[in-house]
Amino acid sequence: MREELRPKLVGARVKRVEDPRLLTGQGSFADDYRPAGMVHVALLRSAYPHARLLRIDTAAARSMAGVVAVFTGDELAEAARPMVATSKMKDYRATAMPMLARGKVRYVGEPVAAVVAASRYIAEDAARRINVDYAPLPAASDPLRAAEASAPLLHEEVRSNIVLSREFARGDAAAAMAAAPLRVGARFRFRRKAVLALENRCYLGDYHRGRRELTLYSATQVPGIVRDALSELMAMPEHLIRVVAADVGGGFGGKASVYPEELLVAVLARRLGRPVKYASDRLEDLLSTSQAFDEIVDAELGVANDGTIAALTAEVVGDVGAYSIYPWTAALEPVQVVSFLPGPYRMPNYRGRVRGVATPKAPLGPYRGVGRPVAAFVMERLIDMAARRLGIDPLAMRRQNFVAAEEFPYRTGSGIIWDRAGFAECLTAVRVALDYDALRRWQKEARAAGRWIGIGFASYAELTGIGSKIPAAPGMPVNTGTETATLRIDPSGSVTAIFGVASHGQGLETTLAQVVADELGVRLEDVRIVQGDTAGRAYTTGTYASRSAVLAGGAGKLAAAALREKVLRAAAHLLEAHVDDLVAEGSRVAIRGTDRSLSFREIARSVYLQFGRMPPELQEELEATKLYDPQFGTTSSATHAAVVEIDPETFDVRVLRYVVAEDCGRVINPMIVDGQVHGGVAQGIGAALLEELVYDGEGQLLSGSLMDYLVPSAAEIPPMEVIHIEAESPTTLGGFRGMGEGGTIGAPAAIANAVTDALAPLGIEVTELPVTPERLYRLVEAARRKE
Amino acid sequence: MKPAPFAYAAPRSVEEAAALLAEHGGDARLLAGGQSLVPMLNFRLLEPALLVDINRIAGLDGIAEIAGGLRLGALVRHRMLETSPLIASRFPIIAAAMAEVAHLAIRNRGTIGGSLAHADPAAELPLLALLLEARITAVSTQGRRVIAASDFFTAALTTALAPDEILTEIELPDPPAGSGWGFAELARRAGDFALAAVGVIIAEAGGICRTARIAMAGVGPTPLRAPAAEALLQGGTLDTGAIAAASRAAAAAAQPADDLHASAAYRRHLVEVLTRGALSAAVARARKVVP
């Protein structure tokens, strides 16, 4: 069979190879490791949002049976340097995040003291017996108040709570706005969200005193970044540190940062010389895992009478919480709002300004979509507001303003480059799938019958698979733009493929095996993917920012191609054939057009066990290592459509239908892409309708349990239709684009537009998410009072 | 999130359990389904010295017919109420309301006695007890007494039970013959505690309303009846106007508070909407308009 006609694994709905393990309880999560002699950590966390620490009395806790040790921040001051997330960004003020609070506490839930005990029960009992004298300090929980010059300071050394600011500009936005025949705008608010992975954060430090080796088992997305951080903060060479993230139960960005608790168990394991485990409970997860969104966006769109966008301006205030998350910095989320705000649209004039304000809350950090869910919410609402005023159909208005095929590569108002992407193709696919004109007719009839039905859209573009020419976070000095794969064939002919990425549920063991197996010419079951472990790599970071399929996929392809060359050279010698006549397929190498072939096992055994019989130039290990750097990145895009119904009396919102058409380039595994879209949209629906971390004016978290912090369950999520558009990417190897985040970017905007559409007869614009029944009640009451 | 240390006892009889409560009083807590108690222990909102597990006491999990009603043991699970043919035929409102209680795993464990004794003001079973005028039996070493549901719920998470009393059974008198029922609830998600819930029973004779009972949950420190709304209906015809007026009166009788999920004003609005829906359904059922 000719090579191009062979059935490929890439593109096939291959069942996830990790699932039998994960679904039968045989995964290896950090909490599953229980080495002999292990002790447990419980943390005393601050009950105050902002307070000076006067005295911490740990005597009673220390004296309890079963307690191994109790530490305060001051007692561990020499054990590790504080974490400082640095950035080359102008107007970024770096602040330090302590492992345990020193001097003062800056948010409710900040770790103040650590108890190490024989069991978590004892550790928690002892933590309750630690006495802390706090001197409460004033605090501004509201970011607008915290931004004022008179507000109490969280970090005195930087002399302001405004810890970062940045501006993007193109053209003359002010003049274009003033000249625009139609201007629409509002203050938009997207409330604070929890990341909420199924598995809470968990860390186990194991220090071998004889070999001076530290192993950290971590529920992390970024074992490589953690290893580098531990080395620097604990002053240990990296060859003595191994970070293992075997199975991780969801990350969504919340496990993409280095945490004080992670450093703490490493420090305690080294100090105590025994395995030390910290497992966060759900309350601690809600209190201390990095949080998402929470921006106030004053935005305005200027539009010509024919619907052409003339200008966009935005002022963003981001509530970044008490600390700058390591290593991404507090700039990551709010700056991305401004840099992605223009979306997939032609934008001749743009000005976006952002300020990040420190408040006494858990730190803001990366969350699926980073900045773009808020950007899409604002931009897509503005488009609908303008379309409604002009009497233009919302889909037509989007299509008209999309960057057109002939304009790629297109530089956006903030300097991001869109390579060729399927903006219009996605929109058209959604329109067709909906049978749009019939849907609008049905909506009209339903409205006439008293039903409140709304149809909403969201189109967006995102940069994925970012290479080394662009920092993943603004000004961040960590290189996230490369990935290396090592492939080796052992004497049994089986393939081990070692990557630096770290799957936390997205099925990389399957998709990377599909890529490698196709390129190398072996069966899927002959490839084992090793990932989530720093031991195999000189440098690695992990999995975040929709990078793994693009970067690891590309590195896997390069390494597989190089290894295939080695295999074919050896086989050519063994088969006495010319390399050009050989084809590798199904774990065999055959002479094209003959029945003569050798299995990979036969080739590998010949190579390794009979080295002497190979000519000197073929005496080489069947191993290849290749680095891949996509340099810039590639554009992923989608259009989402939501159909919602609002109960006209209770204001309960139901999502009746949800359609996504997305372009992630060449699809490696449609089933896995579907799953990523389903999960992302479910999180986006949660963000749009349910999920909100509520802090009171003083900085106390009111939604500290899953009874009060509401995540959607299966009952709240509609069936979804997902359409894959494959506009091949010219810039990445294999044509892959990242697609792990998109669902969460489009869904809040689509739901907000659908809810607004349902309320159109009342003239209500949704400007705040989540849009809860309570908020709808107030909006409807206000609209009726106006009438 | 681990509980503070506690001792554990699993008595085999009500007498034995009562003796333990008499000995430990307020330092002991009864464990039935554990669906509210265990989270409270883990949050250390409660730190009892002793847990008295009553799950091994025989005879507390039955549903029995008695003259003019049903008798339910304290350990009858939500899921039994949801699926029992006896409940379905005699108190279909209970079966219907159980589908709104939390999730299947919780309904499999949670008990009627536990729910009533925990007295969450937004829970369905306390509302139903009040609506159906249940009689609740409490036992201690001092003897046994029967408490009317109207006297049982005294404040949020607080009942008329003394620290040494065990709730052992609940008697439900049959509603008037030919009556119809309605139950309406709104929760943020499937299975959440109600933002507001309303249950009603009405009976007509000769086109005149003879019985009207309206109870609500989630809108006060305890489940509430709406006597003024009930009075508006009794003795009149159950037309749209009467139902609307009664619904407004029920909303006026609610005592909602602002919380994280809803304002008092929205909850009061919901009471009116839900009461209207529940009354309309009850009238239709009484008139056999719906099956």
Side-chain angles (χ1 to χ4, degrees), chain A residues 345-702:
Chain A
Y345 305 107
R346 216 177 292 111
M347 189 66 67
N349 300 287
Y350 175 54
R351 194 201 65 226
R353 280 201 288 248
V354 58
R355 289 177 297 162
V357 183
T359 63
K361 296 172 193 152
L364 203 71
Y367 169 69
R368 199 174 198 172
V370 186
R372 289 156 297 191
V374 176
F377 165 52
V378 172
M379 188 65 203
E380 295 302 288
R381 287 280 28 254
L382 289 171
I383 296 260
D384 269 26
M385 288 163 83
R388 194 175 304 281
R389 290 275 297 276
L390 292 170
I392 299 176
D393 180 83
L395 277 180
M397 170 115 185
R398 285 177 172 78
R399 172 139 209 170
Q400 168 184 356
N401 285 286
F402 276 156
V403 174
E406 65 276 12
E407 293 172 285
F408 294 118
Y410 179 84
R411 180 182 288 272
T412 71
S414 59
I416 293 164
I417 307 285
W418 298 141
D419 60 357
R420 214 195 87 68
F423 299 167
E425 293 89 333
C426 288
L427 183 140
T428 302
V430 163
R431 194 180 206 292
V432 170
L434 285 175
D435 194 356
Y436 184 52
D437 296 332
L439 183 67
R440 283 289 185 197
R441 282 195 299 275
W442 170 76
Q443 178 190 30
K444 211 169 166 186
E445 289 160 19
R447 264 189 190 158
R451 292 173 72 184
W452 291 10
I453 303 284
I455 303 165
F457 300 98
S459 298
Y460 65 84
E462 54 167 338
L463 195 61
T464 66
I466 296 169
S468 62
K469 295 263 201 280
I470 309 175
M476 188 183 72
V478 177
N479 168 35
T480 61
T482 58
E483 191 62 39
T484 307
T486 295
L487 266 56
R488 67 172 66 111
I489 299 173
D490 52 48
S492 73
S494 60
V495 181
T496 303
I498 302 163
F499 291 89
V501 295
S503 183
H504 38 285
Q506 41 292 73
L508 292 176
E509 289 172 54
T510 307
T511 48
L512 292 178
Q514 288 176 261
V515 171
V516 165
D518 265 0
E519 193 69 34
L520 190 54
V522 298
R523 298 172 304 185
L524 188 78
E525 57 269 32
D526 291 335
V527 181
R528 184 171 78 95
I529 302 294
V530 176
Q531 49 85 44
D533 188 340
T534 61
R537 295 262 59 92
Y539 176 75
T540 167
T541 52
T543 287
Y544 49 87
S546 297
R547 70 189 294 274
S548 293
V550 177
L551 275 78
K557 271 180 87 76
L558 289 175
L563 182 55
R564 189 186 57 211
E565 294 306 310
K566 285 189 175 185
V567 171
L568 293 183
R569 275 201 298 275
H573 173 74
L574 296 168
L575 288 165
E576 298 177 323
H578 195 277
V579 166
D580 292 346
D581 295 331
L582 298 181
V583 60
E585 183 197 331
S587 297
R588 298 191 72 84
V589 176
I591 304 175
R592 222 180 244 116
T594 74
D595 59 359
R596 291 183 57 212
S597 69
L598 287 172
S599 68
F600 269 52
R601 176 186 159 88
E602 288 163 331
I603 298 165
R605 286 182 68 85
S606 298
V607 168
Y608 290 122
L609 306 182
Q610 299 165 11
F611 250 125
R613 296 176 61 179
M614 303 296 285
E617 70 275 15
L618 290 182
Q619 288 187 347
E620 56 183 5
E621 298 236 315
L622 296 177
E623 178 168 323
T625 295
K626 286 287 174 188
L627 178 144
Y628 178 54
D629 179 356
Q631 302 287 318
F632 292 97
T634 182
T635 309
S636 297
S637 59
T639 291
H640 288 210
V643 182
V644 305
E645 177 160 17
I646 305 174
D647 185 309
E649 292 193 311
T650 65
F651 313 113
D652 195 29
V653 179
R654 304 217 127 257
V655 184
L656 302 179
R657 199 170 164 198
Y658 207 97
V659 181
V660 176
E662 57 80 35
D663 171 19
C664 69
R666 182 177 288 163
V667 175
I668 298 173
N669 186 327
M671 189 161 61
I672 284 180
V673 173
D674 283 351
Q676 286 279 0
V677 173
H678 293 164
V681 168
Q683 282 187 316
I685 290 174
L689 297 176
L690 291 164
E691 299 183 48
E692 181 174 357
L693 284 169
V694 182
Y695 283 87
D696 70 8
E698 307 296 312
Q700 288 288 345
L701 180 66
L702 303 180

Side-chain angles (χ1 to χ4, degrees), chain A residues 120-121 124-125 128 281-283 649-652 689-690 694 702-713 715-716 772-774 777, chain B residues 1-5 42-44 47 103 120 186-193 195 260-267 269-270 273-274 276:
Chain A
R120 175 70 181 239
Y121 289 86
E124 288 192 19
D125 291 343
R128 300 251 296 177
D281 60 36
R282 189 56 71 186
L283 172 62
E649 292 193 311
T650 65
F651 313 113
D652 195 29
L689 297 176
L690 291 164
V694 182
L702 303 180
S703 48
S705 82
L706 295 185
M707 270 176 68
D708 286 325
Y709 185 84
L710 307 181
V711 286
S713 70
E716 283 73 44
T772 60
E774 170 70 33
Y777 167 71
Chain B
M1 204 178 280
K2 304 288 185 197
N42 286 341
F43 274 111
R44 298 193 180 213
E47 297 191 14
H103 308 282
D120 191 300
L186 189 77
R188 291 290 307 277
R189 298 171 301 180
D192 277 339
F193 275 109
L195 291 178
L260 209 52
H261 300 297
S263 64
Y266 173 55
R267 282 200 158 91
H269 164 81
L270 279 182
V273 171
L274 298 172
R276 206 184 317 126

Side-chain angles (χ1 to χ4, degrees), chain A residues 768-786:
Chain A
E768 183 175 13
L769 293 180
V771 56
T772 60
E774 170 70 33
R775 289 193 173 115
L776 283 171
Y777 167 71
R778 277 189 263 142
L779 285 170
V780 171
E781 290 285 299
R784 283 181 175 154
R785 270 198 304 275
K786 245 192 328 198

